Amino acid sequence: MQPSSTGASVATSDALAQPTLRPDDRHRPGQRSFRRANLALFAAGVATFVLLYSTQGLLPVLSDDLGLTPGRASWTASAATLGLALGLLPASALSDRYGRTAVMTASTLTAAALALALPFAPDLTTLVVLRALQGVALAGLPATAMAYLAEEVHPSALASAMGLYVAGNSIGGMGGRLLSGWVAAGLGWRWGLAASAALALLAVLAFRLLIPAARHFTPAPVDARALARTVGRHLRNPLLLRLYTLGLLFMAVFGAVYNTIGYRLIAAPFHLPESVAASIFVVYLVGTATSAAAGRLAGRLGRRGALYVAIGTTTLGLLLSLADSLTFALLGLVLITAGFFAGHATASSAVGRTATEGRAQASALYLIAYYLGNSLGGTIGADAYHATGWPGAATIGLTAMALAAGVTLYATHRAHAAARTGGPRGRLSAQ
């Protein structure tokens, strides 16, 4: 969703497909071990997304204190998501070799340790490097968490367990932005980062104390050549490439908007206090409801229909946000957030259905594109805001949505053409 509502695993589908030797031994509702596993993954999700987005809520304070343009300050957010994107495939391979709990523990502890160093960064370069390293470390959780649940939790309770994990992602993503922003508004950005680090460390310790030992994990050797072949096949699949592109474009809008909305709200004509501007991330909760509704929408309209609705909603929100009215600016932000989460939920769910093999790697590639979109959109959007104000950032978002509409229209054309000729791609091109 980051957005986290996404926090989707790169290994869930493959783990679900693996046979379990002792199915009655898996955690079930009512068991103490089930509650512990749920709470542990909830805490890990909170920790991960508190840390991942900890600087996004304090970008205006960073700019004021260090004399940075919005584009330069935004690198403190973009570096973390870029590092996470680069770390996803290696982390998923390590979890297959060394175990889910080992990788999750190492990931969250390393990221929390780096968080404790962030408040002491002497300059922007050091801060950005530490954030990039933190992103790489954080990759171990989204690459592993849902695979752990799929292996250790009984299928009858898997949906609820994963739902709680995703809720932890959402709360962490919102909480990281709010906590750091509120504290920074009163005490400065270093204390804002320190507060996020303290909260994340508590969540990491709770995760480590609660997580039950894995009982159904079987180590597998890392086969780099086989991994490369699978990744290559996915990158040659035009249907998957369209989904990856859509994930990147939707997240580019989200990054551009949320990296710059704080600057806009404290500037003319709104002049909101920094603490009030930081509270805007409460709108992030809209995504939780929208993600759940996206599945029902796709069921009624089809995946392409749901994507058109998501693109239209996001575009309308961007256009409304151009008005110099706080009411329209906030309504626009709500629509942008709702449209983003609907588009992301629709595209990401289609990846698993489209990939007939190597679903873990297919999901990993989607997440890589998704977080790259966050990094690119956030930085380019912040530079555009610095150059021309909010219309510049909104134009970046509108451009991304125009490209997303083009991708979806192309898929529609291919599906109709295949249907006329009786080809099988009409069914496959539904996304």
Side-chain angles (χ1 to χ4, degrees), residues 110-301:
T110 301
L114 288 167
L116 294 173
L118 290 177
F120 302 99
D123 51 41
L124 177 65
T125 300
T126 305
L127 184 59
V128 169
V129 170
L130 288 173
R131 288 285 288 158
L133 293 174
Q134 194 175 42
V136 173
L138 287 170
L141 192 81
T144 305
M146 286 191 178
Y148 169 87
L149 289 174
E151 291 166 352
E152 303 299 328
V153 172
H154 192 272
S156 63
L158 187 56
S160 63
M162 288 188 175
L164 189 60
Y165 166 64
V166 171
N169 295 350
S170 299
I171 291 173
M174 182 186 69
R177 294 169 168 99
L178 290 175
L179 178 64
S180 62
W182 286 338
V183 174
L187 300 175
W189 64 270
R190 296 182 188 275
W191 282 106
L193 290 176
S196 293
L199 175 60
L201 186 59
L202 289 174
V204 171
L205 293 176
F207 160 76
R208 189 58 201 150
L209 291 172
L210 290 168
I211 190 72
R215 293 179 289 189
H216 297 276
F217 169 74
T218 301
V222 177
D223 189 337
R225 291 183 179 179
L227 178 63
R229 287 194 296 270
T230 302
V231 169
R233 283 194 295 271
H234 291 328
L235 293 177
R236 291 190 296 271
N237 184 326
L239 304 181
L240 287 175
L241 283 177
R242 288 199 289 272
L243 294 171
Y244 299 155
T245 302
L246 288 169
L248 184 151
L249 291 171
F250 272 108
M251 193 53 156
V253 176
F254 200 67
V257 168
Y258 274 90
N259 271 14
T260 55
I261 189 64
Y263 291 100
R264 190 192 185 198
L265 293 177
I266 64 175
F270 305 129
H271 297 294
L272 295 182
E274 288 179 346
S275 59
V276 176
S279 302
I280 198 65
F281 293 106
V282 171
V283 175
Y284 194 83
L285 289 174
V286 171
T288 303
T290 307
S291 296
R296 297 190 294 272
L297 184 66
R300 287 196 296 268
L301 303 178

Side-chain angles (χ1 to χ4, degrees), residues 12-155:
T12 304
S13 298
D14 286 359
L16 284 168
Q18 293 174 356
T20 304
L21 297 179
R22 299 160 57 196
D24 292 338
D25 194 39
R26 288 178 289 183
H27 310 307
R28 297 171 181 264
Q31 294 177 342
R32 184 170 179 267
S33 61
F34 178 76
R35 292 191 295 271
R36 290 185 59 181
N38 275 350
L39 291 173
L41 269 296
F42 176 86
V46 168
T48 298
F49 287 88
V50 161
L51 295 176
L52 185 63
Y53 293 110
S54 60
T55 63
Q56 196 173 55
L58 49 78
L59 292 180
V61 182
L62 272 172
S63 290
D64 288 344
D65 191 56
L66 299 179
L68 304 175
T69 65
R72 293 186 68 201
S74 73
W75 271 107
T76 62
S78 298
T81 52
L82 180 61
L84 189 147
L86 296 176
L88 281 167
L89 279 175
S92 65
L94 289 173
S95 77
D96 287 340
R97 176 66 179 86
Y98 295 105
R100 315 304 185 197
T101 54
V103 169
M104 288 189 291
T105 300
S107 171
T108 52
L109 282 176
T110 301
L114 288 167
L116 294 173
L118 290 177
F120 302 99
D123 51 41
L124 177 65
T125 300
T126 305
L127 184 59
V128 169
V129 170
L130 288 173
R131 288 285 288 158
L133 293 174
Q134 194 175 42
V136 173
L138 287 170
L141 192 81
T144 305
M146 286 191 178
Y148 169 87
L149 289 174
E151 291 166 352
E152 303 299 328
V153 172
H154 192 272

